[in-house]
Amino acid sequence: EDKVVQSPLSLVVHEGDTVTLNCSYEVTNFRSLLWYKQEKKAPTFLFMLTSSGIEKKSGRLSSILDKKELSSILNITATQTGDSAIYLCAVYNIRTSGTYKYIFGTGTRLKVLA
Amino acid sequence: NAGVTQTPKFQVLKTGQSMTLQCAQDMNHEYMSWYRQDPGMGLRLIHYSVGAGITDQGEVPNGYNVSRSTTEDFPLRLLSAAPSQTSVYFCASSYLTGREGYTFGSGTRLTVV
């Protein structure tokens, strides 16, 4: 069965720390991997990754995909209290049967202390 | 560019009542879906659609109906609301190829009393 596993489940750090969140997947017919940030509202899109080894960056956030290891990491440098959120990873697959599905992990809850 | 629009934002229902949550997107996305999110449970797929006239069940379809008569709209119907359906509901859409990612609506917080 297709699955996406995120680790750690939760993390508490202090402002200024660097964090690495992990996402591993067992999914057939992989198309893309997506990262989202969710505060007390809808998930907001961070990155979409399709190719191995190419880092995507946005300010203090960056992410990279390793298709050999079936995993991705999301790095946040110089964390701020505003980074406190649940970070979700999802994988999109398209099966030969014609089934299309986004499979979500349960998320990593990050709390950044001032 | 409105993206994915969900209405209402909040709703309180009595047990046994029915209602429709609305979802509309203006990006010409083929793929549309509904999730519910409960504390500690993550996002659970209720129903999804890959185009007008085509719908399929997700993980937790019982108690919900959907239809897709146009590309833009994908309403979710609660047939006879139960307290177990108290949740936050999200609609999302994307191109079938997955290019340009997966966009979420702002959510509907539903309480069934």
Side-chain angles (χ1 to χ4, degrees):
Chain A
E1 186 180 329
D2 295 328
K3 63 180 178 182
V4 173
V5 177
Q6 292 185 245
S7 63
L9 290 180
S10 65
L11 193 53
V12 180
V13 300
H14 288 92
E15 270 193 322
D17 288 349
T18 292
V19 297
T20 299
L21 310 184
N22 299 284
C23 176
S24 62
Y25 59 92
E26 291 177 28
V27 171
T28 54
N29 298 311
F30 172 93
R31 277 298 181 107
S32 58
L33 185 145
L34 301 97
W35 283 98
Y36 291 86
K37 177 182 181 183
Q38 187 176 27
E39 297 167 273
K40 293 188 187 298
K41 45 189 177 170
T44 53
F45 174 77
L46 295 174
F47 299 111
M48 184 171 79
L49 306 157
T50 55
S51 301
S52 238
I54 298 174
E55 186 182 49
K56 295 260 180 118
K57 272 183 82 79
S58 176
R60 297 176 294 102
L61 278 67
S62 64
S63 184
I64 195 160
L65 175 66
D66 186 338
K67 285 168 116 172
K68 204 184 251 188
E69 296 296 324
L70 305 183
S71 65
S72 173
I73 59 170
L74 175 68
N75 280 323
I76 309 174
T77 59
T79 52
Q80 301 170 358
T81 54
D83 296 325
S84 296
I86 296 173
Y87 290 85
L88 295 168
C89 173
V91 171
Y92 185 49
N93 73 336
I94 301 176
R95 295 187 179 165
T96 50
S97 60
T99 306
Y100 304 80
K101 198 167 282 186
Y102 288 89
I103 301 132
F104 279 85
T106 52
T108 293
R109 184 180 293 273
L110 174 66
K111 188 170 178 67
V112 182
L113 303 175
Chain B
N1 186 0
V4 179
T5 303
Q6 279 185 244
T7 54
K9 292 198 186 311
F10 301 95
Q11 182 71 49
V12 179
L13 285 181
K14 292 183 179 174
T15 298
Q17 285 184 317
S18 63
M19 80 158 295
T20 300
L21 307 185
Q22 301 291 345
C23 175
Q25 52 89 11
D26 62 355
M27 298 171 281
N28 210 30
H29 286 166
E30 303 97 338
Y31 189 94
M32 294 185 75
S33 58
W34 278 101
Y35 294 88
R36 60 177 289 172
Q37 189 174 39
D38 303 295
M41 297 288 289
L43 288 163
R44 292 188 290 168
L45 182 64
I46 304 170
H47 286 287
Y48 68 99
S49 167
V50 297
I54 306 168
T55 63
D56 206 348
Q57 296 181 349
E59 305 169 64
V60 288
N62 293 338
Y64 307 95
N65 267 359
V66 291
S67 60
R68 184 98 180 265
S69 54
T70 65
T71 302
E72 295 78 19
D73 299 299
F74 191 44
L76 178 73
R77 293 182 193 84
L78 279 70
L79 308 171
S80 176
S84 60
Q85 294 178 304
T86 293
S87 188
V88 179
Y89 291 83
F90 292 107
C91 179
S93 74
S94 77
Y95 291 110
L96 215 49
T97 56
R99 67 184 172 92
E100 299 182 16
Y102 196 34
T103 305
F104 281 84
S106 57
T108 297
R109 185 174 293 274
L110 176 70
T111 303
V112 183
V113 298

